[in-house]
Amino acid sequence: MALFRLPPALVARTDRITLRDPVFISDLHLNAAQPATRAAFARFCDEVAPRHAELVILGDLFEFWAGDDDPDAVGDEVAQRLARLADAGTSVFLMHGNRDLLLGSGFCARAKASLLADPTLALTDGRGVLLSHGDAYCTRDTDYMAFRRKARNPLFQVLFLAKPLSERRSVIGKARATSEATKALKSMEIMDVTPAEVEQAMSHYSVRTMIHGHTHRPATHHHEVDGQGATRWVLPDWDMDAMPKRGGYLVLRDGQWAVQPLG
Ligand code: MN
């Protein structure tokens, strides 16, 4: 008998963390059809993440997630890798993306990962850093924002997760196809974050640094927040099955943030 589980939107999470020596990744979109990207994640877990005190995954670790009860082999493999990292002393923090917002308490327990709220205020190197997946700030995409509200509604999630797994997979498959089709018709500006929204968020949390993913347009952006310079890091997405290969991670080196490409 399945135990009742809270819908993912209601799983307890923290929105304040202190990070000693973090490594940040997002938008790996891991799935069965991209073996080279999964292999790159395995190498990253063996060689890079263990050198850090914390691994922080800012959303879209998976290409899709139909529920913690999905016996999908990719999910299992990733949960085991994350749990091994946690056992070896690297704390694992996970934030929902728009592709894997149904990751719930079951997966987090298997992966020994803590779920982060979006946004989360991190304190690292004595400074505040705002962490987000990023989609919440894409406010010019009104269709997407309406979908986002629905998909994060706890009641919607309870009803959706009560459907048979095959039906959930089919609905998600169609949603992914529709999303790819409509993306081609929308302008780059509409699908990017709204600068005024991220500036307002940085002002609200009194930070001058923000880190997010989602847009698949890795960059360092400069903003002005309350009359001061502020920096926004957009994490690289991963696709080691494409040509050219791409992927990387963000670390703090001697007090400076730096994006490292995958080796
Ligand atoms: Mn995303």
Side-chain angles (χ1 to χ4, degrees):
M1 194 192 83
L3 289 171
F4 175 78
R5 285 195 192 277
L6 283 170
L10 295 182
V11 171
R13 62 200 71 191
T14 177
D15 62 359
R16 293 281 192 283
I17 50 172
T18 300
L19 301 171
R20 280 195 298 122
D21 176 23
V23 54
F24 290 92
I25 57 174
S26 76
D27 301 279
L28 279 66
H29 293 258
L30 299 175
N31 69 92
Q34 290 180 294
T37 308
R38 294 207 315 281
F41 178 65
R43 280 195 305 278
F44 172 84
C45 287
D46 287 340
E47 295 163 15
V48 178
R51 299 200 303 258
H52 293 269
E54 302 96 2
L55 168 62
V56 186
I57 305 165
L58 291 182
D60 287 356
L61 175 61
F62 295 103
E63 169 70 5
F64 65 94
W65 194 258
D68 291 353
D69 57 336
D70 190 337
D72 171 56
V74 175
D76 242 14
E77 175 193 316
V78 170
Q80 283 174 28
R81 287 192 191 289
L82 296 179
R84 275 204 296 276
L85 272 174
D87 285 339
T90 298
S91 303
V92 179
F93 295 98
L94 188 65
M95 190 180 281
H96 283 145
N98 51 304
R99 301 299 195 111
D100 53 14
L101 53 78
L102 291 177
L103 285 168
S105 55
F107 179 83
C108 289
R110 269 153 62 207
K112 300 189 179 178
S114 308
L115 198 58
L116 294 176
D118 187 351
T120 281
L121 180 60
L123 191 70
T124 183
D125 206 25
R127 287 170 294 183
V129 179
L130 194 63
L131 311 178
S132 176
H133 179 55
D135 57 324
Y137 304 103
C138 297
T139 52
R140 285 173 293 196
D141 192 344
T142 49
D143 297 341
Y144 175 71
M145 293 307 276
F147 165 78
R148 188 179 189 277
R149 271 191 298 280
K150 185 176 92 171
R152 288 175 179 255
N153 178 295
L155 181 59
F156 174 83
Q157 293 187 347
V158 167
L159 296 173
F160 185 74
L161 289 171
K163 293 177 196 293
L165 183 58
S166 57
E167 191 182 334
R168 279 180 265 153
R169 279 183 171 159
S170 150
V171 169
I172 289 170
K174 280 179 198 146
R176 283 165 67 203
T178 309
S179 154
E180 289 307 313
T182 55
K183 249 197 263 180
L185 301 172
K186 288 177 184 172
S187 75
M188 295 293 254
E189 285 71 30
I190 281 179
M191 290 187 299
D192 207 341
V193 302
T194 309
E197 295 284 342
V198 292
E199 288 161 9
Q200 196 183 353
M202 284 193 271
S203 170
H204 177 80
Y205 286 93
S206 303
V207 298
R208 296 297 170 263
T209 308
M210 180 170 183
I211 302 171
H212 70 80
H214 179 65
T215 63
H216 298 202
R217 270 170 261 170
T220 316
H221 294 276
H222 299 285
H223 293 267
E224 194 177 306
V225 176
D226 302 327
Q228 287 181 306
T231 311
R232 177 168 62 92
W233 292 87
V234 183
L235 296 173
D237 59 309
W238 291 28
D239 191 347
M240 300 297 277
D241 295 85
M243 273 310 209
K245 301 172 194 300
R246 57 181 196 272
Y249 50 90
L250 180 72
V251 292
L252 200 55
R253 288 262 156 83
D254 305 320
Q256 299 291 321
W257 293 102
V259 172
Q260 307 290 316
L262 292 176

